Amino acid sequence: MNKKSRTIIFYKNYFQEFFVKQSRKVQDKIIWTFDLIEELPKVPQIYLKHMESTDALFEIRVQHGNDIFRIFCFFDKGSLIVLANGFQKKTQKTPKQEIKKALQIKQEYENEIKSQKK
């Protein structure tokens, strides 16, 4: 078995709410993309890209046929990827409310981690 370069975790049920609504084929493609991100030492931007002008927010990019999906995530402790929200991309620009939601999830996660350390 390959040594993982990263580990993807779910935070609460934000991602699962999106995932369960997708078709089996889309779910398979998402899982395939997660495996790739966990295993490759350097992930190509086509699969994982930093969101410009955000505080360390990344998007996992999944394409199935003509359908494009984005799953926001962020890093914790370097190699731990925490999943936030996902959505189907229907326009060129990423919807601002999805970015805002992802940043709120990231803030919530960080606040929870801080409170656990006290």
Side-chain angles (χ1 to χ4, degrees):
M1 176 126 179
N2 294 354
K3 182 182 175 331
K4 285 184 172 185
S5 297
R6 281 161 222 86
T7 301
I8 293 176
I9 64 162
F10 302 148
Y11 173 60
K12 297 197 172 167
N13 60 355
Y14 295 112
F15 168 71
Q16 287 94 318
E17 285 174 2
F18 158 77
F19 186 76
V20 298
K21 293 178 190 158
Q22 306 312 314
S23 72
R24 182 80 217 146
K25 286 187 167 162
V26 169
Q27 289 179 352
D28 290 345
K29 184 71 183 263
I30 290 171
I31 292 165
W32 178 88
T33 306
F34 286 174
D35 290 342
L36 186 113
I37 289 168
E38 285 188 325
E39 289 170 16
L40 288 180
K42 185 167 178 11
V43 181
Q45 276 200 349
I46 189 171
Y47 299 114
L48 181 67
K49 186 173 190 273
H50 178 256
M51 293 292 295
E52 286 174 29
S53 67
T54 66
D55 177 25
L57 194 64
F58 288 77
E59 64 176 5
I60 294 172
R61 310 167 113 201
V62 179
Q63 185 157 354
H64 179 71
N66 291 328
D67 295 327
I68 298 170
F69 301 89
R70 296 291 185 258
I71 300 149
F72 286 120
C73 61
F74 48 91
F75 285 83
D76 184 15
K77 301 182 193 83
S79 64
L80 184 65
I81 296 179
V82 182
L83 298 179
N85 52 321
F87 65 98
Q88 183 170 355
K89 195 166 179 194
K90 296 187 190 284
T91 59
Q92 204 57 36
K93 280 184 78 69
T94 300
K96 282 195 170 30
Q97 74 269 18
E98 294 292 346
I99 296 172
K100 192 174 171 188
K101 184 176 176 184
L103 289 168
Q104 286 170 335
I105 293 168
K106 182 174 183 284
Q107 189 63 58
E108 186 183 338
Y109 174 85
E110 288 168 351
N111 291 344
E112 221 167 89
I113 296 296
K114 273 186 210 145
S115 68
Q116 287 170 4
K117 288 180 180 169
K118 288 180 182 170

